[in-house]
């Protein structure tokens, strides 16, 4: 009788564990863009800016080509030129970000509960001007940061 109860118990536990892992793996969605009405992201959305340029520096343990600086030109929410050269994300060694891409990066990074983070925003338009994430204090050189300067609407 005890053997049947033990087997039954282990079957239930195994089912519960498998269910937990399936829910964890497939039931989670990336953080949705739903900024509150006073957030910097909402300020950016209200500004309704879709064509602009800015200087981007990436702080990471990366190649000099990645670090930049990169003068990014955006038209209709798409990067069309970097440092005056047409940009094709599929052919680029460096994956660069628009302002909405940076907000998405912030949401996704915050969802990972980083060990350390710092994010500063522009007081006029709400876009991030400086962001830094260290996801794990035990890992060296996995930190990432972005510095946005010389923003101009087009």
């Amino acid at each position: 009788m005890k053997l049947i109860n033990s087997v039954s118990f282990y079957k239930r536990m195994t089912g519960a564990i498998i269910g937990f892992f399936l829910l964890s793996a497939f039931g989670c969605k990336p953080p949705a863009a739903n900024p509150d009405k006073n957030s910097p992201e909402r300020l950016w959305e209200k500004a309704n800016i879709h064509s602009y340029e800015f200087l981007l520096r990436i702080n990471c343990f990366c190649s000099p080509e990645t670090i930049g600086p990169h003068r990014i030109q955006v038209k209709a929410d798409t990067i069309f030129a970097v440092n005056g050269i047409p940009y094709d994300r599929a052919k680029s060694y460096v994956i660069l970000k628009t302002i909405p891409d940076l907000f998405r990066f912030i949401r996704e990074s915050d969802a990972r509960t980083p060990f350390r983070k710092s994010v500063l925003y522009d007081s006029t338009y709400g876009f991030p001007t400086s962001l830094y994430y260290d996801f794990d204090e035990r890992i060296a050189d996995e930190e990432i940061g972005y510095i946005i300067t010389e923003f101009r609407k087009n």
Side-chain angles (χ1 to χ4, degrees), residues 2-152:
K2 284 187 177 184
L3 182 62
I4 293 173
N5 288 339
S6 295
V7 170
S8 177
F9 171 77
Y10 287 115
K11 282 183 179 179
R12 285 192 308 254
M13 289 304 294
T14 302
I17 291 169
I18 290 171
F20 172 76
F21 283 116
L22 288 174
L23 183 60
S24 296
F26 300 107
C28 297
K29 296 179 182 175
N34 191 15
D36 73 39
K37 65 181 180 177
N38 297 319
S39 73
E41 189 170 1
R42 184 60 55 127
L43 185 59
W44 172 256
E45 290 170 356
K46 285 181 182 179
N48 200 29
I49 301 170
H50 303 284
S51 295
Y52 52 93
E53 64 181 73
F54 62 97
L55 194 65
L56 177 70
R57 287 184 175 83
I58 303 171
N59 293 328
C60 59
F61 189 67
C62 306
S63 68
E65 299 85 28
T66 300
I67 293 170
H70 308 281
R71 165 120 356 247
I72 298 177
Q73 295 174 290
V74 176
K75 280 189 181 174
D77 295 317
T78 302
I79 298 174
F80 78 93
V82 176
N83 298 328
I85 300 169
Y87 179 73
D88 182 351
R89 180 174 253 173
K91 295 179 182 177
S92 178
Y93 172 74
V94 180
I95 303 299
L96 299 172
K97 298 182 182 314
T98 63
I99 300 298
D101 292 337
L102 290 167
F103 280 117
R104 189 174 311 105
F105 173 82
I106 291 167
R107 285 192 308 275
E108 291 170 355
S109 297
D110 286 350
R112 293 174 58 187
T113 59
F115 167 68
R116 182 174 294 131
K117 82 170 194 174
S118 172
V119 182
L120 301 174
Y121 298 93
D122 177 77
S123 60
T124 304
Y125 299 116
F127 63 86
T129 57
S130 173
L131 34 142
Y132 169 82
Y133 283 87
D134 182 354
F135 295 102
D136 192 328
E137 69 178 320
R138 301 165 295 173
I139 301 174
D141 303 328
E142 47 70 63
E143 303 89 358
I144 184 81
Y146 296 91
I147 297 173
I148 296 89
T149 58
E150 300 179 32
F151 177 85
R152 189 176 83 206

